[in-house]
């Protein structure tokens, strides 16, 4: 995730009475639960029972991108200038990421198994490579080499480059945002092309994506979810956001797994379902953002690294890694929100 889809501006009041904060937190927690299996050398249960069609982490990221498309498109519409839109996206993404990377650089010498980590070129390249989003570096020589999942420092950060790329895609629509019909047509066409390429030509233009260190298949998949979310921002969910519709969509998704059709069905059904659930105003979970803040982004970006540290020092089993990983990560994510992310957002109207 990301998930970097929060706190968007509007010239009129934004109704915050919804489940977005809660569902994002559940999804970010799901990523930690999912990673607990490979990080302890096990195969994730959902991946096993779905015959490798889906795992909880992948499901969470797909939901994140649909929610991101929905919210960020609304942010685009509310932004008065291109600079304003970009500045808010940068503020939401980078301050917490910079602090995470500084924290990581400080901790890595304590888990290094070589002679001198400060002589390792990979140590000094880690910060700028990850901060670039597009040159994500997963390993530093001599770190986590004997973990059950060896070498990887933070396997969750891969999605940030795709997320930021889709922010830039929406930016292309900024000059036309007052032409609602045109924007809808472009979004529907983009979704259709992305979906069809994902299903039938996932390697189309792969050489072009390679230049940006992206993969064509993931780009088409995540674009399908993100753009679907953007399209859904035009809909009035009050008319059809009923229990019957939500249950029907859930049944369609579950049934698609049994018929080995999940990859084909999920970009069509999942964005609608997750936005419907997010638009609900369910007490008391709708208050979680007010109580602890919007900590889902921090949970997402800290979780993997914390779990690898726990495995390095304690070699936990899968269940204990889930529990302790969530506990420690929640604390760090809360601190990140309280002292980094929320204060940074106070500067969102600088441009």
């Amino acid at each position: 995730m990301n998930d970097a889809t929060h706190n968007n501006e509007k010239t009129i009041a934004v109704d915050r009475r919804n489940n977005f904060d809660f569902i994002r937190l559940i999804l970010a927690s799901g990523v930690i639960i999912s990673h607990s299996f490979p990080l302890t050398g096990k195969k994730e249960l959902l991946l096993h029972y779905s015959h490798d069609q889906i795992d909880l982490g992948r499901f969470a990221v797909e939901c994140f991108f649909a929610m991101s498309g929905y919210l960020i498109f609304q942010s685009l519409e509310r932004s008065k200038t291109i600079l304003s839109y970009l500045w808010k996206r940068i503020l939401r993404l980078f301050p917490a990421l910079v602090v995470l990377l500084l924290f990581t650089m400080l901790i890595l010498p304590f888990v290094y198994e070589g002679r001198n980590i400060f002589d390792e070129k990979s140590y000094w390249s880690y910060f700028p490579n990850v901060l670039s989003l597009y040159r994500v570096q997963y390993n530093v020589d001599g770190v986590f080499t004997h973990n059950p999942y060896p070498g990887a420092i933070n396997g969750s950060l891969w999605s940030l480059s795709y997320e930021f790329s889709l922010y830039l895609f929406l930016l292309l629509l900024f000059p036309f945002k007052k032409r609602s019909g045109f924007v809808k047509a472009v979004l529907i066409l983009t979704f259709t092309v992305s979906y069809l390429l994902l299903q039938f030509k996932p390697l189309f233009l792969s050489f072009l994506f390679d230049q940006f260190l992206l993969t064509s298949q993931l780009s088409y998949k995540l674009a399908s979810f993100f753009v679907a979310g953007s399209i859904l921002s035009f809909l009035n969910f009050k008319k059809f956001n009923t229990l019957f519709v939500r249950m029907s969509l859930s049944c369609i998704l579950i049934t698609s797994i049994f018929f080995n059709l999940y990859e084909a069905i999920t970009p069509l059904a999942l964005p609608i379902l997750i936005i419907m659930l997010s638009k609900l105003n369910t007490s008391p979970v709708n208050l979680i953002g007010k109580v602890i803040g919007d900590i889902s982004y921090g949970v997402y970006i800290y979780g993997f690294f914390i779990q690898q540290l726990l495995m390095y020092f304690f070699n936990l089993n899968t269940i204990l890694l889930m529990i302790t990983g969530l506990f420690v990560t929640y604390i760090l994510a809360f601190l990140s929100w309280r002292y980094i992310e929320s204060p940074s957002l106070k500067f969102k109207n600088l441009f």
Side-chain angles (χ1 to χ4, degrees):
M1 144 304 122
N2 137 39
D3 176 62
T5 60
H6 320 326
N7 297 327
N8 300 305
E9 68 288 356
K10 196 172 185 178
T11 54
I12 60 176
V14 179
D15 187 357
R16 299 290 297 174
R17 295 172 297 176
N18 54 54
N19 295 346
F20 274 98
D21 289 342
F22 174 72
I23 290 180
R24 278 195 297 250
L25 179 57
I26 293 299
L27 293 173
S29 303
V31 172
I32 291 179
I33 293 171
S34 178
H35 287 163
S36 298
F37 290 90
L39 293 180
T40 54
K42 304 293 193 305
K43 185 173 183 178
E44 209 232 73
L45 293 178
L46 185 57
L47 188 65
H48 172 74
Y49 288 111
S50 68
H51 303 290
D52 296 331
Q53 292 182 80
I54 187 64
D55 60 63
L56 185 57
R58 195 188 320 170
F59 173 83
V61 169
E62 291 168 354
C63 292
F64 271 134
F65 271 75
M67 296 169 76
S68 181
Y70 181 85
L71 294 172
I72 300 304
F73 181 77
Q74 293 181 26
S75 173
L76 179 78
E77 289 192 308
R78 293 189 290 266
S79 297
K80 295 181 179 180
T81 66
I82 290 176
L83 182 58
S84 172
Y85 169 77
L86 282 176
W87 176 243
K88 291 175 177 64
R89 304 283 61 78
I90 290 170
L91 277 182
R92 196 61 189 94
L93 197 66
F94 283 98
L97 181 61
V98 168
V99 174
L100 164 70
L101 294 178
L102 291 173
F103 173 74
T104 303
M105 296 291 285
L106 288 172
I107 297 297
L108 288 184
F110 296 98
V111 295
Y112 177 67
E113 298 180 6
R115 179 173 295 179
N116 187 351
I117 194 172
F118 301 112
D119 291 333
E120 299 284 359
K121 291 182 179 179
S122 57
Y123 174 74
W124 296 109
S125 63
Y126 182 80
F127 185 100
N129 280 344
V130 177
L131 189 62
S132 75
L133 302 186
Y134 291 89
R135 296 195 309 270
V136 178
Q137 179 181 324
Y138 296 104
N139 303 79
V140 169
D141 294 337
V143 172
F144 297 145
T145 54
H146 295 99
N147 278 30
Y149 195 91
I153 294 172
N154 199 329
S156 296
L157 302 182
W158 66 268
S159 67
L160 299 184
S161 58
Y162 294 89
E163 177 97 4
F164 194 74
S165 297
L166 288 163
Y167 293 169
L168 297 180
F169 162 72
L170 285 187
L171 190 60
L172 298 176
L173 298 176
F174 187 89
F176 312 101
K177 65 177 186 173
K178 293 183 179 180
R179 299 171 57 183
S180 178
F182 176 78
V183 170
K184 289 179 186 177
V186 171
L187 290 174
I188 292 171
L189 177 62
T190 302
F191 171 80
T192 303
V193 171
S194 298
Y195 177 79
L196 292 176
L197 288 174
L198 173 64
Q199 302 302 322
F200 303 109
K201 291 286 185 181
L203 298 181
F204 181 69
L205 296 180
S206 59
F207 69 92
L208 182 60
F209 289 96
D210 290 343
Q211 304 303 311
F212 299 94
L213 302 179
L214 304 173
T215 71
S216 57
Q217 185 171 6
L218 267 177
S219 296
Y220 299 141
K221 171 182 282 191
L222 297 177
S224 296
F225 288 99
F226 186 92
V227 176
S230 297
I231 294 170
L232 292 172
S233 68
F234 288 97
L235 300 183
N236 182 359
F237 279 86
K238 292 182 180 180
K239 295 181 179 180
F240 57 91
N241 191 358
T242 65
L243 179 61
F244 174 77
V245 173
R246 296 193 298 271
M247 291 298 295
S248 297
L249 288 169
S250 300
C251 290
I252 290 171
L253 286 167
I254 294 171
T255 303
S256 71
I257 296 175
F258 290 99
F259 289 94
N260 203 33
L261 292 172
Y262 182 82
E263 288 289 343
I265 297 299
T266 185
L268 303 171
L270 183 58
I272 301 173
L273 176 61
I274 198 63
I275 298 301
M276 281 185 170
L277 292 172
S278 300
K279 291 283 289 181
L280 295 175
N281 181 20
T282 308
S283 180
V285 299
N286 57 351
L287 300 175
I288 195 165
K290 293 182 178 180
V291 176
I292 63 173
D294 190 358
I295 69 171
S296 58
Y297 180 49
V299 171
Y300 182 78
I301 63 175
Y302 275 93
F304 193 101
F305 180 54
I306 294 303
Q307 287 184 291
Q308 281 288 63
L309 287 174
L310 290 169
M311 289 305 297
Y312 177 85
F313 287 111
F314 304 110
N315 195 25
L316 303 173
N317 63 40
T318 304
I319 300 301
L320 282 177
L321 182 61
M322 287 182 195
I323 297 170
T324 56
L326 285 168
F327 178 74
V328 176
T329 303
Y330 275 18
I331 293 173
L332 291 174
F334 174 77
L335 294 174
S336 176
W337 171 257
R338 181 74 177 270
Y339 297 107
I340 305 300
E341 298 166 61
S342 182
S344 296
L345 292 175
K346 294 178 180 179
F347 298 97
K348 65 181 182 179
N349 294 320
L350 191 60
F351 295 104

